[in-house]
Amino acid sequence: MKKIIILLCILFSTIGFAFATDLTIESEKQNFSEQAHKIFLEGGVKVKFGDIHLFSPRAEVDIDSETKKAKTVNFLDNAYSYQVKGKKKQEVKAQIIEMSLLNKTITAKGNAQSTITENQKPTIIVTADIQEYNDKTNSVKATGGVIVYYKDTQAFGETGIVDVTKNNDIKRIQLIGNASVKQKDNKITAHRINYDAVREEATATGNVFTDINNDEKSKIKVWSNFQMYNKKSNIMVASGHTIIKYKEYTATGPKASVFPDKKTNKLNEVVFVGRSKIEQEGRTIEADRIQLTMEPKNFSAEGNVRTYIPNVQSAEE
């Protein structure tokens, strides 16, 4: 069957509506219901709105009862959308895709997946129950079981926000609510995790826990209220009731920085500032500054140092 190509400005002018000329719809069947204020489209539906292309087996166009203009187009039964900007392509797949013609937003519902590719290779993949793409703000907001794949990183959260440039370069990734990020053998969990792709810097707030797995024998575990990690410098900063565990060492304090080894670039040195303490095999040492190294395993304390050794027996006993 030959497809019906609808230029909505022509269609709507025949029924008393007015609309822009840059919206084109192709389908095999179409019906208009004045009572329902809808246009029903079936069979290989294709829509072009500016640089946005959408496809689905069927669709419904909602008409505003007062202005008599099209408000939204709902693409049903597993829909697909794409937008090309330079070498990058953004794709959206979902059971339902709702396109707002007024504010140029796309909302994908039901197993929604959005992908940005460059030279046919995916740079980021976002899956969630619902996703909303706003062409004005160049951002994607995902809610419900959010999973983000970005380079060598896998991230999770209840809500996710991805900000991109006009050329679809990643600027910022935010994860809110039971957020976690896995990268190789390292993992971080927090209430909120933000990643600045330009600075290559991640910040986490709210019950933050990081498991740094340099290798199976040298795991470093960090708990705090706030943590920041810069990938370029490979330095971590933790603050707010900071606890760091390494083998039999447990160190606590208000703030700590974790530095890499100059040769291996593995995180190997911890420096606590502020009144801190370190525990090892029953001994507790308090100081204003504590420095701990993993390989070789050693620590030093300075500034009002106080050592506590329990259960010391006298010579008479």
Side-chain angles (χ1 to χ4, degrees), residues 57-303:
R58 63 188 184 93
E60 297 177 358
V61 181
D62 293 321
I63 308 300
D64 189 280
S65 59
E66 295 182 359
T67 64
K68 307 303 182 182
K69 294 181 180 180
K71 297 188 300 182
T72 58
V73 183
N74 297 306
F75 298 85
L76 310 173
D77 302 337
N78 297 320
Y80 169 73
S81 171
Y82 76 87
Q83 182 181 39
V84 177
K85 293 182 178 180
K87 295 181 179 179
K88 295 181 176 63
K89 182 179 181 180
Q90 182 165 355
E91 300 175 278
V92 179
K93 299 177 182 178
Q95 294 176 359
I96 299 172
I97 294 181
E98 179 183 293
M99 179 180 182
S100 173
L101 306 179
L102 300 178
N103 54 23
K104 207 175 182 182
T105 60
I106 293 177
T107 303
K109 302 177 181 179
N111 299 321
Q113 182 183 86
S114 59
T115 306
I116 295 178
T117 59
E118 183 175 6
N119 297 323
Q120 298 182 344
K121 294 182 179 180
T123 58
I124 185 170
I125 301 173
V126 181
T127 63
D129 295 335
I130 300 174
Q131 296 186 43
E132 181 180 290
Y133 172 68
N134 191 312
D135 192 53
K136 293 181 180 179
T137 60
N138 292 307
S139 65
V140 177
K141 182 178 181 180
T143 56
V146 180
I147 304 174
V148 179
Y149 299 91
Y150 178 66
K151 295 183 177 179
D152 61 345
T153 301
Q154 186 177 13
F156 307 85
E158 295 174 2
T159 300
I161 302 172
V162 180
D163 297 315
V164 300
T165 66
K166 292 182 179 180
N167 295 322
N168 277 340
D169 292 317
I170 305 300
K171 290 197 304 183
R172 188 182 303 105
I173 301 173
Q174 303 177 62
L175 295 163
I176 306 166
N178 295 317
S180 65
V181 174
K182 291 182 179 179
Q183 185 180 46
K184 296 181 179 179
D185 294 326
N186 302 326
K187 181 179 179 180
I188 181 171
T189 61
H191 172 69
R192 185 185 189 112
I193 300 174
N194 295 341
Y195 178 70
D196 188 321
V198 178
R199 300 176 61 183
E200 294 188 282
E201 188 171 88
T203 59
T205 55
N207 298 318
V208 188
F209 168 67
T210 300
D211 189 351
I212 305 169
N213 189 6
N214 285 330
D215 55 58
E216 191 63 29
K217 296 181 180 180
S218 60
K219 289 185 177 183
I220 305 172
K221 296 184 178 182
V222 184
W223 293 263
S224 64
N225 294 335
F226 170 86
Q227 291 183 30
M228 179 179 68
Y229 172 73
N230 186 278
K231 188 176 182 180
K232 293 179 181 179
S233 63
N234 196 22
I235 294 175
M236 172 192 285
V237 176
S239 63
H241 304 288
T242 303
I243 303 172
I244 294 181
K245 288 188 177 182
Y246 174 72
K247 293 186 176 179
E248 70 271 21
Y249 287 126
T250 299
T252 60
K255 183 178 179 180
S257 299
V258 187
F259 301 95
D261 181 84
K262 293 181 179 179
K263 294 182 179 179
T264 65
N265 202 38
K266 292 181 179 180
L267 294 175
N268 190 60
E269 180 184 2
V270 179
V271 177
F272 276 88
V273 293
R275 197 62 183 169
S276 306
K277 67 179 180 180
I278 185 169
E279 299 177 10
Q280 181 198 27
E281 297 177 349
R283 293 183 302 164
T284 301
I285 298 175
E286 294 184 2
D288 296 333
R289 185 180 186 274
I290 294 176
Q291 181 176 351
L292 168 67
T293 58
M294 285 62 176
E295 296 294 338
K297 188 171 65 174
N298 197 2
F299 74 88
S300 62
E302 58 184 59

